[in-house]
Amino acid sequence: MSDKIAYSREGDIAILTVRNPPVNALSHAVRQGLSDGMDQAEADDGVRAVLIVGEGRAFFAGADITEFGKPPLEPHLPDLINRIEASPLLVVASMHGVSLGGGLEVALGCHYRISVPSAKVGLPEVHLGLIPGAGGTQRLPRLTGVEAALDVMTTGRHIGAGKAHELGIIDVIKDGDPKANGIAYARQLLEEGVSRRPVSEMDPPAPIDWDAAFDTILAKGRGQISPAWCVRAVQAAVEKPFAEGLKAERQIFYDLMQTDQRQGMIHSFFSERAVGNLPELKDVNPRGIQHIGVIGGGTMGAGIATAALLAGLEVTMLEMSAEAGQAARDRIERNLSGAVKRGRITPKQHDQILTHTLVVVTNYDKLQDVDLVIEAVFEDMEVKKKVFAELDRVCKPGAILASNTSYLNIDEIAATTSRPSDVLGLHFFSPAHVMKLLEVVVGDKTAPDVTATGFALGKMLGKISVRAGVCDGFIGNRILATYRTAADQMILDGASPYEIDNALEDFGFAMGPFAVADLAGLDIGWAVRKRKRAEGNVPKRDATYADTLCEQGHFGQKTGKGYYDYAAGPKARVPNPDVLPMIEADRARLGITPRAFTHEEIVRRYMAAMVNESAKVVGEGIARRPLDVDMTLLFGYGFPRYRGGPLKWADIVGLEPLLNDIKSYAAEDPDFWAPAPLLEQLVAENKTFDDLNKKG
Ligand code: 3HC
Ligand code: NAI
């Protein structure tokens, strides 16, 4: 038998113990071992029951995702589960840790299920672009009814043992050792003389309006298709005999396995885990962090402080005056009240944090004890340099000095201190206590253990941290600036902001670029343009419609109007009728004859600009790997997860056609559309961006 399964006996109970660390994925060897184990138990004299139990952290985390996309090897999981269920012996699952996907499906193939109170179950296949493919869509509704089963499958969420017991998924919850519990439960069932209880033999549940459910779930998926297909599989469970339903499920599973969405989702799954794994930090220990300082308690500083407080860190916040300090405290209090409403902290913890864990000061000397300090003052190099001079003066040796700057040069900031190796950028995204992305910006002189501490802090705060090098805008904002420019160019050439937003939202972005601009505040871009203009930096085609909007006091959502009118609330946007005439005036002034853009062309140009700049960012080493760019766009810029990120998307659509698009656009504007050397190289060598991820 495979060494992944240990066979043992306790009287008349055979025990199959799964040993496939770290999370007992159902790899080929595990499936084979379980199949052999069932054979052995059935042939073993005196055995009347089988217990399946996992060793280590979990019962099973599901099918082995690394095997997806490769030819499937027998025994296939659905056949194995049918084989377990059909056994003449009584089969019991004892669950702990997680039982996910195929893991829960194995449990559903067992005749009885016991778990520890901390166990969690779920069918998260939709997060991989799939549906449950080993009987989950057929067995679960027979236990829970259609509505609950669809909720479990289409959200993919993890359900605690208590709720799973209520739903009829788990029969018994008992604290203690899963193996001992399982043996005792199997013995009890044998003594009670209960019979086998195959879920497949249970009656199917009542039907629902399948078409309505399909349409509703499809609409909610923002382009993602797998959740809606769960509905069709469950429909088959209700309408067809079990074996036929299983076939229908399998067909949908295989069809989805062939999709780009499955590729994108699985890329996202592994990249999310790989992004914080930097070879250069493998043996580097981070510095300890318990107490952090935050300089400036505006939008970002208050959000960063909130994230740190929620993670249990002590925070000393420094503001310019007592009044500004009070405003910062009020912002943090509002954020923390939101956390109470969402059940993240209790009202008692909220009060405790505000009275004891957060200290607001106006004097730098109060920062002597902090382990790490994050500056989030105005985006102005001179102001930042003054702050860092103060930090250099007061902070203890070994304290880490970080800046949340969006664009400014970390090396220049570091050079003003006596300890540039302790300086790095920690670039959070707004709102900082909500957004998952953290760019860890590594300067020329940043010490490896300082970088490692940036990543460790990100982990404490529940962020996805990405290593970025120093350049204007680092990874995310630099790429954003380029694709925003492509969108602005399309507007001058004839597209409307609404066509662009709609095309990109149909592509799967959470929000189009103009809706995003309204949310972030149009005054930010206005200030940058004014500064650039003052420096003599005037764009070739000098559009003024965005400035005109701001001059009229329209800064987006916060003033109720921007590209859109928000009179009916932030979610009920309608185009602001003043905008198109302003754009038309610019076109007339610049002598541009507008032309029509299809949604497809909008997406092609926008994505070509994004991929080209991303390739430059990787080629220049600002991002170490393509997956670093992919995760930046996914977690900070609303890129659709099911497309895997811009560079995974590029691999899927093909690099050569993309490069050809870029070259054809370059005929209009050779500077802006200069092809990235890395993209040209990959095309010449017939390679993909993902090939570069694999090099580690
Ligand atoms: N297959 C292969 N590897 C897996 C895996 C799986 N199902 N689940 C986790 N791993 C790997 C991770 O890649 C990671 O590897 P690394 O250490 O080399 O980076 C390692 O196991 C540990 O995982 P995490 O770092 O994610 O550990 P956590 O403790 O944070 O989370 C978990 C554990 C909750 C199990 C999480 O890993 C998870 O959600 N896994 C995916 C579960 C899933 O989607 N299951 C369904 C699979 S599809 C299926 O079953 C199809 C069936 O219906 C036919
Ligand atoms: P903000 O204007 O909301 O807040 C700045 C705060 O800093 C104010 O409360 C101000 O009183 C305080 N401050 C200014 N000078 C100070 C000084 N010398 N000492 C102490 N406090 C001082 O600005 P916001 O938006 O929070 O931005 C802060 C930094 O974060 C900037 O560098 C910005 O580029 C960056 N950032 C902003 C993002 C955003 O979406 N707003 C996103 C990511 C980074």
Side-chain angles (χ1 to χ4, degrees):
M1 197 188 315
S2 136
D3 62 354
K4 303 287 181 190
I5 307 292
Y7 184 91
S8 58
R9 259 186 83 162
E10 279 279 328
D12 47 5
I13 301 166
I15 302 149
L16 307 185
T17 307
V18 188
R19 295 178 172 159
N20 189 24
V23 288
N24 289 336
L26 283 148
S27 64
H28 173 243
V30 171
R31 298 195 303 276
Q32 188 61 58
L34 283 171
S35 178
D36 295 346
M38 290 302 297
D39 290 347
Q40 186 171 346
E42 285 168 13
D44 204 348
D45 258 3
V47 167
R48 294 199 297 148
V50 179
L51 170 68
I52 302 179
V53 64
E55 213 171 69
R57 279 161 60 182
F59 182 61
F60 296 101
D64 187 336
I65 303 169
T66 59
E67 291 180 357
F68 289 178
K70 299 176 189 161
L73 295 175
E74 290 183 351
H76 303 312
L77 191 56
D79 301 336
L80 170 67
I81 293 172
N82 286 345
R83 190 253 171 276
I84 291 171
E85 193 187 50
S87 174
L89 304 174
L90 194 76
V91 189
V92 172
S94 182
M95 299 142 82
H96 75 290
V98 290
S99 307
L100 298 175
L104 178 57
E105 291 173 302
V106 169
L108 295 175
C110 297
H111 304 136
Y112 293 90
R113 288 162 290 280
I114 181 170
S115 90
V116 293
S118 57
K120 289 199 161 64
V121 306
L123 292 174
E125 285 87 344
V126 291
H127 297 314
L128 303 172
L130 297 167
I131 64 164
T137 66
Q138 307 300 300
R139 290 191 177 88
L140 188 66
R142 286 176 155 81
L143 287 175
T144 66
V146 168
E147 210 172 303
L150 279 179
D151 179 52
V152 171
M153 290 171 208
T154 59
T155 61
R157 69 191 158 87
H158 296 184
I159 297 165
K163 180 75 187 165
H165 180 248
E166 251 173 57
L167 289 173
I169 300 171
I170 293 173
D171 299 300
V172 175
I173 300 179
K174 193 175 170 205
D175 213 350
D177 173 53
K179 190 165 171 180
N181 283 349
I183 294 169
Y185 183 45
R187 171 133 311 125
Q188 178 199 328
L189 292 168
L190 289 175
E191 278 166 10
E192 286 170 1
V194 301
S195 44
R196 295 162 60 259
R197 192 190 51 174
V199 177
S200 66
E201 290 172 14
M202 294 178 184
D203 289 336
I208 58 163
D209 182 341
W210 303 109
D211 291 347
F214 184 88
D215 291 345
T216 310
I217 293 169
L218 191 63
K220 258 202 226 156
R222 262 210 220 108
Q224 198 199 337
I225 56 173
S226 57
W229 280 100
C230 294
V231 176
R232 294 301 181 212
V234 173
Q235 180 177 1
V238 173
E239 292 177 353
K240 294 176 192 277
F242 185 81
E244 292 299 309
L246 209 56
K247 268 193 208 154
E249 174 196 83
R250 203 69 194 147
Q251 189 59 50
I252 298 171
F253 181 82
Y254 275 130
D255 289 347
L256 290 171
M257 190 63 96
Q258 309 309 321
T259 59
D260 295 346
Q261 293 200 1
R262 192 274 300 166
Q263 277 198 60
M265 286 295 228
I266 287 183
H267 175 75
S268 302
F269 177 87
F270 284 114
S271 300
E272 191 176 338
R273 284 159 177 79
V275 74
N277 251 340
L278 294 184
E280 72 200 58
L281 298 181
K282 208 164 151 258
D283 298 315
V284 181
N285 288 326
R287 299 183 190 173
I289 304 175
Q290 269 178 0
H291 184 180
I292 73 161
V294 180
I295 315 297
T299 312
M300 292 308 292
I304 295 166
T306 306
L309 290 164
L310 288 173
L313 295 168
E314 287 168 58
V315 175
T316 299
M317 154 78 66
L318 184 137
E319 256 293 352
M320 292 201 284
S321 63
E323 274 165 12
Q326 187 55 46
R329 186 177 269 283
D330 292 346
R331 273 183 211 108
I332 295 170
E333 178 159 13
R334 276 197 298 277
N335 293 342
L336 291 173
S337 299
V340 173
K341 268 194 213 128
R342 287 191 303 277
R344 174 109 194 255
I345 49 171
T346 62
K348 199 174 156 202
Q349 285 170 313
H350 167 273
D351 297 347
Q352 168 84 16
I353 289 173
L354 284 170
T355 45
H356 296 294
T357 331
L358 170 69
V359 178
V360 182
V361 301
T362 52
N363 182 342
Y364 276 91
D365 293 329
K366 299 277 168 47
L367 293 167
Q368 279 167 358
D369 295 330
V370 298
D371 304 308
L372 178 147
V373 56
I374 303 171
E375 163 280 308
V377 304
F378 303 134
E379 185 76 341
D380 179 316
M381 185 54 104
E382 291 318 307
V383 179
K384 297 215 189 261
K385 281 182 179 170
K386 280 189 193 134
V387 169
F388 272 78
E390 287 295 298
L391 295 176
D392 195 17
R393 182 177 65 80
V394 300
C395 288
K396 66 186 180 189
I400 293 175
L401 313 184
S403 172
N404 182 48
T405 178
S406 308
Y407 293 95
L408 300 176
N409 188 322
I410 296 293
D411 291 328
E412 192 179 334
I413 296 175
T416 64
T417 71
S418 64
R419 37 176 139 177
S421 60
D422 290 339
V423 176
L424 86 169
L426 289 176
H427 183 218
F428 290 82
F429 289 71
S430 181
H433 57 298
V434 177
M435 291 291 286
K436 291 282 276 181
L437 183 64
L438 173 66
E439 281 181 314
V440 178
V441 186
V442 181
D444 277 351
K445 300 223 164 87
T446 307
D449 65 337
V450 171
T451 308
T453 312
F455 276 89
L457 177 72
K459 198 163 192 181
M460 281 182 210
L461 305 188
K463 306 291 181 202
I464 299 288
S465 306
V466 179
R467 183 201 187 284
V470 176
C471 69
D472 194 15
F474 316 123
I475 298 178
N477 282 345
R478 170 169 162 183
I479 297 169
L480 163 76
T482 304
Y483 62 77
R484 251 314 293 256
T485 303
D488 294 341
Q489 295 299 345
M490 283 191 272
I491 287 197
L492 285 180
D493 287 326
S496 80
Y498 317 110
E499 286 168 333
I500 293 178
D501 277 359
N502 290 340
L504 292 161
E505 286 165 14
D506 285 350
F507 177 84
F509 276 96
M511 287 169 112
F514 298 97
V516 170
D518 271 358
L519 179 66
L522 302 182
D523 46 328
I524 299 178
W526 189 32
V528 174
R529 286 191 299 277
K530 279 196 282 194
R531 196 187 68 216
K532 288 197 169 161
R533 243 180 249 282
E535 291 164 356
N537 197 342
V538 181
K540 254 189 263 166
R541 298 201 294 179
D542 191 15
T544 56
Y545 61 89
D547 302 332
T548 315
L549 259 178
C550 292
E551 280 155 17
Q552 295 180 357
H554 303 316
F555 294 163
Q557 283 198 22
K558 61 185 166 191
T559 59
K561 250 192 203 175
Y563 289 100
Y564 295 90
D565 189 328
Y566 300 93
K571 295 224 162 97
R573 69 180 199 205
V574 289
N576 174 355
D578 299 337
V579 170
L580 289 182
M582 291 179 198
I583 294 172
E584 278 155 15
D586 267 331
R587 288 180 191 143
R589 184 173 51 78
L590 296 166
I592 298 166
T593 311
R595 67 179 179 88
F597 281 80
T598 61
H599 275 206
E600 194 201 341
E601 186 176 3
I602 290 170
V603 169
R604 271 175 57 195
R605 280 186 175 252
Y606 194 79
M607 288 306 301
M610 190 184 298
V611 170
N612 201 35
E613 193 64 25
S614 299
K616 289 178 188 172
V617 160
V618 176
E620 291 167 25
I622 299 299
R624 283 278 160 88
R625 302 157 297 186
L627 68 85
D628 293 322
V629 171
D630 284 342
M631 294 305 100
T632 302
L633 271 291
L634 227 63
F635 288 101
Y637 297 83
F639 194 93
R641 185 179 174 91
Y642 61 81
R643 295 193 189 272
L647 295 178
K648 183 66 189 175
W649 174 86
D651 280 348
I652 291 173
V653 299
L655 301 190
E656 194 165 357
L658 252 171
L659 180 60
N660 290 340
D661 277 355
I662 292 166
K663 284 181 176 162
S664 72
Y665 306 147
E668 299 160 16
D669 186 345
D671 290 340
F672 181 75
W673 289 107
L678 178 63
L679 181 59
E680 291 189 304
Q681 183 192 333
L682 291 175
V683 170
E685 293 174 0
N686 200 17
K687 286 191 176 144
T688 63
F689 285 109
D690 214 17
D691 291 332
L692 303 180
N693 289 326
K694 289 180 188 124
K695 277 202 291 192

